[in-house]
Amino acid sequence: MFRYFAATTARASSTSRLGQRVVQSRRVLTGTTRIGQIRGMSTQQNNSLSDSNVRYTIMAVAAAAGLSLFGLAGYAMFFGPGSMYPKPVRNLLREAGMAYMRPPEKQDLPKALECYEQALAQLDALGTSDSQHARDMPHVTGLVARVATVCTEMGDLDGAIEAYNDLLERLLGTDGMRDATTQVRRLLDDSLDKNERQGILRALGCANKLAETYEARGQRSKRRSAVLPHARAASTADADMAAQWYGWCLQLVMLTYQNHFNHQQLADNKPTTQTPSFDPDTLPSYFPVDIVTSLMYNAATFYSGNAQIELAEPLLQRALDLMRHGADGDETNVCRSSILMSHLANTGVMSGNLPAAERWSIDGLALAKRFPNNADCLNSFIALTYDLGVVYEAAGSLESARVQYRQAAEIATSTGDDDAAKLASEAMTRLAR
């Protein structure tokens, strides 16, 4: 099921983040070239109609499990066949699995982490003299990824960040981590070995997870800053690192896609362009739509959470283009497109662009209505109905706003979504004053 998030919004407000209940503050993507590239993707004009002194509450919605809203397919944890591990390592992995691969209430995460780390240490020691167990081999890097995941589940974000950085260094080397264009050149090389290409895609997924983890740790520090003043500096530093790694991912994907697209244009005797078409059929075959839309969504929510709407909005629009606005009729694409439209409606409210917010809300509702039994569409429908009420309230159409809030409250109540029902009820109470 979706989770709802309430965030007080205005031009400097925050929006909620995929899979989290905490309102987050975000840092700006550094680098004028990257910012210019993202701005150039925008196709909308901002005609603000709202009073910037008025503050509104929005309802943001995130997808359920499964792909976790376009789950990053390039991020993979995997192990090789058991026979390829020395017996002592196999024993440790078996012990770790017995502690980890259990229902949450029966897991022993500290024990699992201890065994995984011991197994990794033994493999690294062997790898110094046996290339079969070299530190960048898939069965070894997969174990590093598992360590990062267990650390995250334990709430040990320091350990998770250390593991993700270690994984990236193993996959790319220090120079490859520093400059995404190195990986762009490798991906564009048609002679690149398939396993090497897969390694780059795993690194892309890892970099995205690293950005998310820096972001999460920064938010934790920010919450602590009320009682620990020094925590604010730590929060700012982590947000800067999150921005750096989101930027690295975007640069890798966008430069690769643009070069691939223009190469195809030349092959078809067509002119090159500064911006690719964002038709899913034009993506490189090694970039599934899920990978690109996932990255765009994650980065967009990072920027919108920092009130950088000029960066967030075009990324959401282009992700929607890649999904063809749900026009293919596929239930999953339709409902996910409605989620993206919900976030676009929110960016319209946050920026004061009420016509755009109204249009995205109406279009999103039209999609969500198509599959009322789909949990994603149902909950997207509630969020969009509520947000349309926000648009009408901001425009001064209070009666229309009441109708939307009332409908959102009724549906949320009937589906057992207490948070959404409370938010809608509070909005109706506010209008009754």
Side-chain angles (χ1 to χ4, degrees):
M1 295 292 290
F2 283 22
R3 293 182 179 179
Y4 291 89
F5 309 80
T8 302
T9 61
R11 288 187 182 277
S13 62
S14 298
T15 191
S16 58
R17 182 62 195 206
L18 177 64
Q20 301 171 348
R21 289 190 177 275
V22 181
V23 176
Q24 301 185 347
S25 171
R26 320 214 185 250
R27 299 292 292 177
V28 182
L29 174 64
T30 56
T32 55
T33 301
R34 292 175 187 163
I35 290 177
Q37 289 172 342
I38 295 173
R39 283 178 176 152
M41 292 160 55
S42 181
T43 59
Q44 269 184 226
Q45 297 294 320
N46 182 15
N47 300 313
S48 176
L49 298 180
S50 73
D51 180 353
S52 61
N53 294 320
V54 178
R55 298 172 70 85
Y56 303 100
T57 301
I58 59 174
M59 185 185 296
V61 58
L67 289 176
S68 188
L69 193 56
F70 327 135
L72 199 61
Y75 174 66
M77 294 181 302
F78 57 92
F79 299 89
S83 59
M84 73 186 308
Y85 293 102
K87 185 175 181 179
V89 174
R90 288 202 305 272
N91 291 338
L92 285 167
L93 292 178
R94 184 180 302 110
E95 190 174 355
M98 291 176 64
Y100 180 66
M101 306 299 290
R102 298 169 64 86
E105 65 275 8
K106 295 183 178 180
Q107 284 181 318
D108 186 348
L109 295 180
K111 179 64 175 179
L113 180 61
E114 178 185 4
C115 292
Y116 283 133
E117 288 182 333
Q118 288 180 11
L120 179 60
Q122 290 191 22
L123 284 175
D124 281 342
L126 288 171
T128 59
S129 57
D130 185 350
S131 60
Q132 180 183 0
H133 301 300
R135 63 196 312 272
D136 61 345
M137 292 294 287
H139 69 285
V140 179
T141 56
L143 185 51
V144 181
R146 176 60 59 83
V147 168
T149 300
V150 176
C151 285
T152 300
E153 293 182 18
M154 292 175 60
D156 180 10
L157 300 185
D158 296 348
I161 287 173
E162 181 180 353
Y164 283 129
N165 273 300
D166 179 25
L167 178 54
L168 278 170
E169 195 278 329
R170 290 168 184 261
L171 291 170
L172 302 177
T174 303
D175 291 341
M177 292 173 64
R178 186 179 299 115
D179 185 6
T181 59
T182 302
Q183 310 311 318
V184 173
R185 287 192 291 271
R186 294 178 65 201
L187 284 173
L188 292 171
D189 182 357
D190 292 337
S191 64
L192 183 67
D193 179 76
K194 179 181 178 180
N195 291 332
E196 291 186 52
R197 177 168 281 114
Q198 287 300 316
I200 297 173
L201 296 180
R202 287 195 294 272
L204 173 63
C206 178
N208 182 82
K209 296 296 292 185
L210 179 59
E212 290 181 349
T213 310
Y214 271 122
E215 185 180 6
R217 192 175 71 173
Q219 286 302 312
R220 186 172 66 183
S221 295
K222 185 179 181 181
R223 292 192 297 273
R224 294 172 175 173
S225 64
V227 293
L228 300 171
H230 68 277
R232 183 166 294 277
S235 174
T236 299
D238 279 339
D240 286 338
M241 291 303 299
Q244 174 184 318
W245 283 107
Y246 279 124
W248 188 95
C249 293
L250 284 171
Q251 187 179 31
L252 172 60
V253 171
M254 292 309 303
L255 287 179
T256 303
Y257 178 30
Q258 183 173 344
N259 278 276
H260 172 83
F261 180 82
N262 280 332
H263 178 77
Q264 294 301 316
Q265 288 288 100
L266 291 173
D268 295 337
N269 294 318
K270 297 178 180 179
T272 59
T273 64
Q274 292 185 341
T275 303
S277 67
F278 292 93
D279 182 317
D281 291 338
T282 65
L283 285 173
S285 59
Y286 45 81
F287 275 169
V289 172
D290 283 346
I291 287 182
V292 182
T293 52
S294 174
L295 173 59
M296 288 181 171
Y297 178 88
N298 292 341
T301 53
F302 178 85
Y303 300 134
S304 63
N306 196 39
Q308 297 296 314
I309 306 305
E310 74 278 9
L311 302 181
E313 188 175 49
L315 288 170
L316 290 168
Q317 289 178 0
R318 293 313 192 182
L320 194 58
D321 288 343
L322 285 170
M323 300 199 72
R324 293 190 171 125
H325 295 236
D328 61 2
D330 175 78
E331 180 173 340
T332 298
N333 284 347
V334 166
C335 293
R336 287 179 178 168
S337 293
S338 73
I339 293 172
L340 289 170
M341 290 181 184
S342 174
H343 283 274
L344 282 164
N346 289 342
T347 63
V349 172
M350 293 170 68
S351 65
N353 189 350
L354 299 185
E358 181 182 31
R359 182 173 67 254
W360 288 121
S361 295
I362 292 173
D363 289 350
L365 283 168
L367 288 181
K369 289 177 181 177
R370 295 179 60 182
F371 297 100
N373 294 324
N374 181 290
D376 286 353
C377 271
L378 174 62
N379 292 300
S380 182
F381 183 86
I382 297 172
L384 287 160
T385 300
Y386 174 91
D387 288 342
L388 191 55
V390 173
V391 172
Y392 291 150
E393 181 182 357
S397 300
L398 301 188
E399 187 55 40
S400 295
R402 285 191 192 93
V403 171
Q404 296 302 130
Y405 290 145
R406 186 180 302 111
Q407 184 179 13
E410 291 173 353
I411 300 175
T413 300
S414 68
T415 59
D417 194 323
D418 296 336
D419 291 340
K422 179 181 177 181
L423 196 61
S425 296
E426 289 174 349
M428 288 190 291
T429 300
R430 181 177 63 250
L431 291 184
R433 292 172 184 168

